[in-house]
Amino acid sequence: MEPVLIVLVVLVVVAFIALIKTIQVIPQASAAIVERFGRYTRTLNAGLNIVVPFIDRVRNRIDLREQVVPFPPQPVITQDNLVVNIDTVIYYQVTDARAATYEVASYIQAIEQLTVTTLRNIIGSMDLESTLTSREVINAGLRGVLDEATGKWGIRVNRVELKAIEPPTSIQDSMEKQMRAERDKRAAILTAEGNRQSQILRAEGEKQAEVLKAEGEAQAAVLRADGEAAAIRTVFEAIHQGDADQKLLAYQYLQTLPELAKGDANKLWIIPSEVGDALKGLGGAFTGLTGNGGGANGSAVAAPSAAPAAPPASTQVPIDPAAGPRPLDTDTKGSARPRIDPLREYRKSDPE
């Protein structure tokens, strides 16, 4: 009874193992390669799959999702014989599990070596400056070569990115100095341009201010002249309408004389020749007032019986600026005498 029980247990165990090997569950975005007696039979897709136990063998499970593989820095020589280290990143995806399994032994290593060789070919035809500024061109060139080469491997290269481009340390220092000098140059140019613009604006502002000031002064002068003309015209019309006589003119002369004496430095007075005539007229006016004025009791003072005899007319010789003759007056007896000039007498008496 015991041997039969042992056989039954063995059969159950074998059946369980066969059932496990028969049912294959493949996850989503994955694929598996099935070989029968060492030969490729089929590719298992995602889901539940049935295989023949002990005959079919699942060799490899492949991830069909997009993969990201960074490669270590690779030294590359540029066209101007400078060594730069370039880091690359590859984005690829397996599209054919059978080709990725049987067409190449290790597609990751194959992609890395193909990337290095292609990168050296592309960078070798470019100088350092072009290498640093032409990342898109390098990426496009790498992607085209890798996509064409890996197509038969069942792999599609979606993107190729240059992670870093590191030139030598001495070249980096030179580039930093050049960049600093370029920035200083641009800063100096911008500063000079700003100063020039500010000076131009300041000059235009001063010009407009001077123009406006000159226009204002011109308008003020015109208005001032118009005002003076109107004042003179008003005074002239008032004098003619009022019919000013000699007495008024004499009074105005007397009011103007104190103005001539103002100031500490006035040691010489220049009196117009018309002042004498005005004073004569004013004296005559005062004489008339004295002769016809009223007394203290309001009674009229009797006028003299006969008017005093008029003095003889003065004999005046015209003044010649070149000869300089002095005018002559006649005294009461009719004899001619020289006229005394107060201005000349004052000059003689003043030592200064």
Side-chain angles (χ1 to χ4, degrees):
M1 202 56 198
E2 292 180 0
V4 175
L5 184 59
I6 294 173
V7 172
L8 289 176
V9 172
V10 171
L11 290 177
V12 171
V13 172
V14 171
F16 183 74
I17 294 175
L19 181 62
I20 292 176
K21 288 185 173 293
T22 301
I23 299 174
Q24 296 289 331
V25 179
I26 306 300
Q28 184 66 33
S30 297
I33 301 300
V34 178
E35 293 180 350
R36 179 173 294 176
F37 300 113
R39 184 178 179 181
Y40 169 77
T41 302
R42 59 195 175 100
T43 300
L44 301 181
N45 297 321
L48 182 64
N49 296 275
I50 304 299
V51 296
V52 179
F54 306 108
I55 297 177
D56 295 339
R57 182 174 69 90
V58 178
R59 177 179 176 179
N60 192 13
R61 294 178 183 268
I62 299 176
D63 193 351
L64 300 179
R65 295 174 298 179
E66 186 174 2
Q67 303 293 322
V68 180
V69 180
F71 296 144
Q74 299 294 330
V76 182
I77 301 176
T78 61
Q79 187 178 10
D80 48 359
N81 297 326
L82 293 176
V83 179
V84 294
N85 294 324
I86 300 179
D87 297 346
T88 54
V89 179
I90 303 297
Y91 296 81
Y92 71 94
Q93 185 177 10
V94 177
T95 57
D96 189 354
R98 185 192 66 82
T101 303
Y102 296 105
E103 295 296 333
V104 62
S106 177
Y107 56 84
I108 297 296
Q109 185 178 3
I111 292 174
E112 179 181 2
Q113 297 301 321
L114 182 60
T115 300
V116 171
T117 55
T118 306
L119 189 62
R120 287 177 178 174
N121 292 334
I122 295 175
I123 300 299
S125 61
M126 303 172 63
D127 55 5
L128 179 61
E129 186 175 357
S130 301
T131 302
L132 296 175
T133 58
S134 303
R135 293 191 174 217
E136 294 296 332
V137 177
I138 298 173
N139 294 339
L142 281 174
R143 180 183 175 185
V145 174
L146 292 176
D147 197 12
E148 182 180 358
T150 58
K152 60 181 181 180
W153 298 342
I155 297 173
R156 181 178 68 246
V157 178
N158 296 326
R159 296 182 64 184
V160 180
E161 296 291 339
L162 299 181
K163 188 176 180 180
I165 300 176
E166 298 180 358
T169 306
S170 59
I171 300 301
Q172 292 182 6
D173 296 338
S174 300
M175 292 173 61
E176 291 179 359
K177 291 180 181 179
Q178 181 180 2
M179 184 61 64
R180 191 179 301 111
E182 186 68 23
R183 290 180 178 176
D184 293 341
K185 175 184 175 182
R186 285 185 291 179
I189 292 174
L190 292 177
T191 302
E193 188 68 22
N195 293 333
R196 173 177 172 271
Q197 201 68 21
S198 63
Q199 291 178 2
I200 291 174
L201 294 177
R202 190 180 299 110
E204 290 180 355
E206 293 177 355
K207 175 184 176 182
Q208 293 179 1
E210 292 294 334
V211 170
L212 293 177
K213 182 178 179 182
E215 291 179 354
E217 292 178 353
Q219 293 179 1
V222 171
L223 294 177
R224 194 180 301 111
D226 293 341
E228 293 177 356
I232 293 172
R233 190 180 303 109
T234 303
V235 172
F236 183 78
E237 291 177 357
I239 291 174
H240 280 273
Q241 290 178 2
D243 194 12
D245 56 358
Q246 192 71 16
K247 301 176 183 179
L248 179 61
L249 296 178
Y251 180 70
Q252 293 293 330
Y253 274 123
L254 288 177
Q255 287 184 340
T256 309
L257 287 178
E259 299 294 331
L260 299 176
K262 287 184 178 179
D264 298 336
N266 291 338
K267 297 181 179 179
L268 179 63
W269 293 2
I270 300 176
I271 301 176
S273 60
E274 292 84 355
V275 174
D277 299 335
L279 291 178
K280 289 180 181 179
L282 187 59
F286 283 142
T287 303
L289 290 175
T290 304
N292 298 327
N297 298 326
S299 60
V301 178
S305 60
S314 61
T315 304
Q316 185 174 358
V317 180
I319 299 175
D320 188 2
R326 297 181 62 182
L328 299 177
D329 291 340
T330 58
D331 55 5
T332 56
K333 297 181 179 181
S335 61
R337 61 180 178 84
R339 177 185 295 179
I340 298 175
D341 191 353
L343 182 59
R344 291 188 178 181
E345 296 298 328
Y346 174 76
R347 289 180 179 176
K348 291 180 180 180
S349 62
D350 191 355
E352 297 180 358

